Amino acid sequence: MNQLPDTFVGFDLETTGVDVENDRIVTAAMVEVLHGAPRRSRKWLVDPGIPIPEGATRVHGITTKMAQREGVNAIRAAAQIAGQIWGVLANGIPLVIMNAPYDLTLLDRECRRYDVTPITEMLADAKDGIVLDPYVLDRRVDPFRPGKRTLESLAEYYGVTLDSAHEADADALAAVQVTQQILRCAEDDRAWNRSTHHHEVFGQDLGVLHGQQTLWFAAQSAGYQTWLRRTKNPNAVVNGSWPIIPAPQVVADAA
């Protein structure tokens, strides 16, 4: 079995909404986790340059006035956050992100908006870059378990403490600890119908897992899209790109 690295880094964003093409960063955090415990962290409070909707404020607690008064300029924040992401990827440190296509895509669009090197280019250039997504991993190892797959739900299932959900640093730390629990699990007696794929994750090289998640997420998304079209919306489309959704212009240029 391959031993897990000593160090992982968790990353999380809180934003103005859920539209990765148009919404903006409000808070961000990166937490370095050494031997399962937080070692150091870096946090950003950002003035997104647009009003923060009340619905978003109810989730993360940051108002427009707070962000304008205390937040760093969005251009500077995008450059700083992207630089930290590059440092992690380039050094082959596992970067853990719950629902990576959301956070990385929104950050990529912020970078493009402010003429910062896009995250898609960083991922392509970081030959040893590893992204791990507990959402994808959990759905792979225990695909039939009923119930939600939110970070709060996963933390509860895997026995991870998450006291301040929707605070970026707390979520980043919990994502790492949940991921480590999944990676260490050879089998799970609680699994739905005892039908699990833990053997596909346990002891696996993390570089291999990075690539496997691309395939798993595509299959998971296709299955969800089929279910939606059959039960709710015949025209439903579910993104299947992982760990980042290609930018619309990049897709158009490639067509």
Side-chain angles (χ1 to χ4, degrees):
M1 183 188 75
N2 296 312
Q3 186 172 357
L4 295 182
D6 294 337
T7 302
F8 289 69
V9 172
F11 175 65
D12 186 71
L13 298 178
E14 298 296 332
T15 62
T16 59
V18 297
D19 180 349
V20 295
E21 301 297 340
N22 297 299
D23 279 307
R24 311 297 173 87
I25 297 171
V26 177
T27 66
M30 298 186 74
V31 180
E32 182 181 341
V33 181
L34 179 65
H35 300 300
R39 179 169 179 252
R40 57 186 175 185
S41 65
R42 183 166 183 181
K43 298 185 287 185
W44 291 264
L45 172 60
V46 184
D47 176 2
I50 63 173
I52 300 173
E54 290 184 5
T57 296
R58 284 195 294 271
V59 173
H60 50 61
I62 306 299
T63 66
T64 300
K65 289 184 178 180
M66 290 170 60
Q68 291 174 339
R69 182 175 64 248
E70 304 172 23
V72 66
N73 174 276
I75 301 174
R76 181 181 300 176
Q80 291 177 352
I81 296 166
Q84 293 294 311
I85 292 286
W86 170 250
V88 174
L89 293 172
N91 284 288
I93 300 169
L95 178 65
V96 179
I97 310 171
M98 177 72 180
N99 191 17
Y102 174 76
D103 292 71
L104 286 184
T105 302
L106 196 145
L107 176 58
D108 178 82
R109 303 310 191 258
E110 286 276 65
C111 291
R112 294 173 186 274
R113 191 172 289 121
Y114 301 127
D115 199 25
V116 175
T117 301
I119 304 301
T120 47
E121 293 184 16
M122 293 185 181
L123 284 166
D125 291 342
K127 303 306 180 184
D128 296 321
I130 296 170
V131 177
L132 298 173
D133 187 336
Y135 175 76
V136 177
L137 294 174
D138 176 69
R139 288 188 67 192
R140 183 61 182 180
V141 299
D142 194 357
F144 304 113
R145 189 178 74 245
K148 296 180 178 180
R149 305 278 180 146
T150 63
L151 181 58
E152 290 172 273
S153 298
L154 296 188
E156 181 178 359
Y157 184 81
Y158 289 102
V160 169
T161 300
L162 177 53
D163 290 330
S164 302
H166 299 298
E167 291 187 11
D169 53 341
D171 286 357
L173 174 60
V176 171
Q177 293 175 330
V178 166
T179 297
Q180 290 175 329
Q181 291 292 335
I182 296 171
L183 295 176
R184 293 190 180 104
C185 184
E187 59 182 82
D188 187 351
D189 291 338
R190 303 172 297 171
W192 188 252
N193 288 338
R194 295 296 302 278
S195 178
T196 72
H197 297 159
H198 283 278
H199 62 281
E200 297 185 10
V201 171
F202 180 71
Q204 186 65 267
D205 178 84
L206 297 188
V208 173
L209 271 186
H210 173 88
Q212 288 291 90
Q213 289 170 105
T214 302
L215 302 176
W216 295 341
F217 186 78
Q220 291 162 4
S221 299
Y224 183 47
Q225 177 175 287
T226 298
W227 179 81
L228 285 175
R229 289 184 174 184
R230 186 178 67 248
T231 61
K232 296 186 177 184
N233 179 0
N235 299 313
V237 176
V238 178
N239 161 61
S241 299
W242 187 94
I244 192 168
I245 302 170
Q249 186 57 49
V250 172
V251 173
D253 291 344

